[in-house]
Every structure is written in C-alpha cells, then in structure tokens.
Amino acid sequence: MIILISIIGLCYGSFLNVLIYRLPNNLSILKPRSFCPNCKNTIPLYRNIPILSFILQLGKCFKCKKRISNQYPIVEFITGFLWFWFIYTGPQNYNFESVSNIVFSIIMISFLIPLAIIDSKHLYFPFSLIIPLIIIALSTLLIDLFIFHDYKALWGTVTATTFILSIYLIVKVWFKIKNRKETPMGFGDILLIIPLGIWLGPLGILLCFLVSSILALLIWILLYFLIDFKFNSKMPFGPYLIASSILIKILNLSII
C-alpha cells in the first residue's frame, strides 16, 4: 500500500508540473493533454512516465530534442517522497484521527509545492490554489475542534495571524516614518500562514517564521555576493515559509 501510494504521489507530482506551467499562463489544466513547452507537440502517455521518461530521454524532448527543465523530475520526486514519508512515518494503528492527519498533510504538500515554485518564478500565489487550500485547512480545523476536541489547529492559526499581522503593522509604521511606499509583505503571504498555522500548530508556526527568516537572509546574502542582488530587489518570502513548514513537519517538530 505504501509503495502504491508513493507511485500515485509521483504521478501527482507530474500533474503539479502542469499546474506550475499552466496557471501563470492562464491555460486550462484539463486540456489539451501534456505537451512540450518548446515545440508544443503532444506527449504520448508512454513518454510521460514520472522520472523514468526524463531519464530514458536524457532530459530532452523526444521530438524537438530541446532540454527539459530539471524542475519536472525534481517536483515528481519530491511529491512522491513526501507522500511516502507521511504515510511511512504515520502511526502503526490507524484510526479516523490519524488517517485524517495524514490525508491533510498530503493535501497540504500537494498545494504547497506548486505555490512555492509559482511564487519563486512569478512573485504571486494563484487564488485558484491558495483559496481552496484555506478552505480545506479551515474544514480540518473544524473537524479537529468538534470531532476530536483538539485545539492545536485553532491556536496555531490564531498564533500565526496575530504574529504576522503584528509584524506587518510594525513594518508599515516604520515605512510610513521613513516615507517609503513599499508594501511590507505580500497579501498572498498573509493568506498562506492561515493553512500553515492550522497544519503546524502554535509552536510549529513560530518555529516556521524563525527558520524561514534565517533561510531567506542566508539566500539574500548569497545572492548579494554572487550576483550583486540589491537591497530593494523583490524576493518572494512564500517559498521559504513553505520549505520551512515542510521541513518542520518532516522532522515532527510542530508539537505543543
């Protein structure tokens, strides 16, 4: 069962690549079938096997021979691995609550991966992804409250929204004093912390803010020395929040 679900995760990772490419380009995710972004030729099913097709074709399109982005096998592998991880590290004795938690984690990563990549490339979160994720997360919160009588998700989202709005207001006032017109934080980042808070809990989301801030700072310093990245250049914070939240969940650090 674990192997089967992992294979399904790999296939779903292939679908995530469709979302990552098509949503920012305002293309339908249902049709046409998968095609090469370069020559636009339809990819046959037997040449669309996750990871394996990339390896057998030496990372090139079978028609135009153009290089295929490494993003495709990487997204497929990460998705399959994370599906495997959350099931493999789940409890030995399954019940409704444990299965609900595993399913929620799988849903979370299945939304977070495309959100992270789209934000890193295009500096925004598609509402078609972030809004359904928030609805699913809030539904999980209600299930935890009224069925399992677990308040961790509730306190997680309260902690997350209180913290992020406080930071937003402080920076906003500081910018006002300095007569700067920049926006302290993107609206998408504020929306993102709602499902993250529900997923990680109160201590987990605070740890997420800390780890993501350190990661963003280290990357900024690295870019500054490598490509002379300017202080006022735009850099998305969402991917760091997402990467930190997944890391915390993998290491099972989001505990009360």
Side-chain angles (χ1 to χ4, degrees):
M1 180 61 69
I2 293 176
I3 294 175
L4 175 61
I5 294 177
S6 300
I7 293 173
I8 295 174
L10 288 173
C11 295
Y12 193 79
S14 181
F15 174 68
L16 293 186
N17 280 315
V18 174
L19 297 180
I20 292 166
Y21 176 77
R22 297 194 184 190
L23 288 181
N25 290 293
N26 296 316
L27 300 174
S28 170
I29 64 173
L30 300 178
K31 59 181 182 180
R33 283 173 45 192
S34 297
F35 58 87
C36 172
N38 294 302
C39 65
K40 309 303 180 184
N41 277 291
T42 300
I43 301 175
L45 291 177
Y46 63 88
R47 292 188 180 275
N48 203 18
I49 304 172
I51 299 179
L52 184 60
S53 292
F54 183 87
I55 295 173
L56 293 177
Q57 294 172 190
L58 303 178
K60 298 179 181 179
C61 171
F62 73 102
K63 281 283 188 180
C64 66
K65 306 304 179 184
K66 292 287 187 179
R67 184 74 185 172
I68 300 172
S69 172
N70 292 330
Q71 168 200 301
Y72 289 85
I74 291 173
V75 168
E76 291 166 355
F77 173 78
I78 290 176
T79 306
F81 170 76
L82 290 176
W83 279 44
F84 161 81
W85 182 265
F86 285 113
I87 294 171
Y88 180 75
T89 58
Q92 297 297 319
N93 298 319
Y94 289 102
N95 53 43
F96 182 62
E97 184 175 6
S98 63
V99 171
S100 175
N101 290 333
I102 291 172
V103 170
F104 181 49
S105 290
I106 288 176
I107 291 174
M108 283 291 298
I109 60 175
S110 299
F111 275 88
L112 293 177
I113 291 171
L115 283 171
I117 297 177
I118 291 174
D119 191 32
S120 65
K121 288 184 173 182
H122 305 282
L123 300 177
Y124 85 106
F125 291 135
F127 282 115
S128 55
L129 287 179
I130 192 69
I131 298 303
L133 180 59
I134 292 174
I135 293 173
I136 293 170
L138 290 174
S139 301
T140 302
L141 185 152
L142 294 176
I143 291 173
D144 285 349
L145 281 179
F146 296 108
I147 296 181
F148 304 131
H149 305 291
D150 185 352
Y151 292 85
K152 178 182 175 182
L154 175 63
W155 289 118
T157 190
V158 169
T159 302
T161 52
T162 301
F163 183 86
I164 203 71
L165 289 176
S166 299
I167 296 297
Y168 181 89
L169 291 174
I170 291 172
V171 177
K172 187 74 173 177
V173 171
W174 175 255
F175 280 1
K176 190 73 173 177
I177 295 173
K178 294 294 183 177
N179 292 319
R180 294 174 58 179
K181 297 181 179 180
E182 297 100 319
T183 302
M185 182 174 294
F187 183 61
D189 294 331
I190 296 175
L191 291 178
L192 178 64
I193 57 92
I194 297 174
L196 290 185
I198 294 172
W199 192 36
L200 299 176
L203 293 185
I205 192 62
L206 291 177
L207 182 59
C208 178
F209 286 133
L210 175 62
V211 174
S212 58
S213 298
I214 294 173
L215 280 177
L217 178 60
L218 291 176
I219 294 298
W220 182 87
I221 293 173
L222 185 63
L223 292 175
Y224 177 80
F225 285 105
L226 290 179
I227 61 173
D228 194 25
F229 196 74
K230 304 300 182 183
F231 178 76
N232 57 353
S233 299
K234 290 185 177 181
M235 188 174 75
F237 189 53
Y240 302 101
L241 282 171
I242 290 170
S244 301
S245 66
I246 294 175
L247 178 62
I248 289 167
K249 205 66 180 180
I250 287 177
L251 299 177
N252 199 26
L253 297 176
S254 54
I255 57 176
I256 297 179

